[in-house]
Amino acid sequence: SVSLPPNFRAEPAFDPGMLANRDETLLPRPMDPRAIKKERGRYFGLISHIDSQLALLIEFIEDRGQLDRTVIFMTAGTGLCLGAHGLLGKQIMYDDAVKVPLIMRGPGIRPGLTSHALVHLMDLMPTMCDVAGVQIPSSVQGRTLTPIMAGRRRAHRSAVFGYYRDLFRMVRTGHHKLIHHLKTG
């Protein structure tokens, strides 16, 4: 059985300025917990489908004897609130939307390693260059994750930043997070 998020609300605590966005209009308000469970079930079903497709890809690579030479990165651009904080979509700086998975496997990646390092999706391109032995262009703002992947370093960034249009700014450190809602302060 699919559960409600622990921070479920039928309505948001305040209007974050994007309640008219497509994602936020998919269900009527106040949100019915049964409808949220159904949407979360669909979402988890899609995640399970992606997992099974990734397993097929890994099997394909392994069958060709190339798995020990292949680095696989799996991530997502954003998450969805799906009832958390009284919201449905991704256009917000809450962890439900911005804290996404990043899973890696392959040579140079310590098996079983879990990291809580602050990373940004822009770190993937220089990481891929580094893993492939290609020079990282000097214009790239991201930083390679290879020391984290190998278990040689625990920290990567002291903070990560995010924004959404003219509504939100966000900074997260290892222990704190500040979300500034530009319309309400």
Side-chain angles (χ1 to χ4, degrees):
S1 167
V2 176
S3 63
L4 290 172
N7 51 3
F8 170 77
R9 295 179 62 113
E11 301 264 9
F14 69 99
D15 180 357
M18 45 37 142
L19 294 180
N21 288 6
R22 182 193 61 86
D23 288 354
E24 296 302 329
T25 62
L26 293 175
L27 293 176
R29 296 191 185 272
M31 290 189 282
D32 179 346
R34 292 171 302 197
I36 292 297
K37 287 180 180 183
K38 187 174 182 179
E39 288 301 315
R40 288 170 57 86
R42 288 180 182 151
Y43 186 66
F44 297 153
L46 290 170
I47 292 169
S48 294
H49 177 70
I50 290 169
D51 287 349
S52 66
Q53 296 305 301
L54 186 57
L56 289 174
L57 177 62
I58 291 169
E59 182 180 317
F60 177 84
I61 295 167
E62 189 173 36
D63 288 349
R64 278 138 188 86
Q66 298 297 312
L67 193 57
D68 62 339
R69 301 173 33 130
T70 304
V71 177
I72 298 170
F73 295 84
M74 195 331 220
T75 190
T78 62
L80 292 172
C81 284
L82 294 172
H85 307 284
L87 300 167
L88 291 168
K90 58 189 175 190
Q91 299 84 4
I92 196 130
M93 297 291 111
Y94 294 138
D95 279 357
D96 310 272
V98 298
K99 189 176 180 182
V100 297
L102 174 57
I103 302 168
M104 301 178 270
R105 79 152 326 274
I109 301 171
R110 198 172 96 202
L113 176 70
T114 298
S115 172
H116 296 284
L118 295 173
V119 302
H120 197 283
L121 290 180
M122 70 180 168
D123 295 329
L124 291 183
M125 186 269 206
T127 303
M128 291 178 192
C129 288
D130 200 12
V131 167
V134 174
Q135 184 174 351
I136 300 168
S138 61
S139 61
V140 170
Q141 293 181 16
R143 299 182 357 221
T144 183
L145 298 171
T146 53
I148 300 287
M149 294 163 37
R152 293 191 312 268
R153 193 170 58 200
R154 293 173 54 116
H156 184 67
R157 295 177 175 279
S158 59
V160 291
F161 301 87
Y163 71 94
Y164 178 66
R165 295 190 337 199
D166 63 343
L167 294 173
F168 299 103
R169 300 297 182 264
M170 184 257 319
V171 60
R172 171 186 281 291
T173 67
H175 300 288
H176 300 93
K177 180 175 184 179
L178 173 68
I179 300 172
H180 183 156
H181 186 251
L182 300 175
K183 301 292 183 186
T184 65

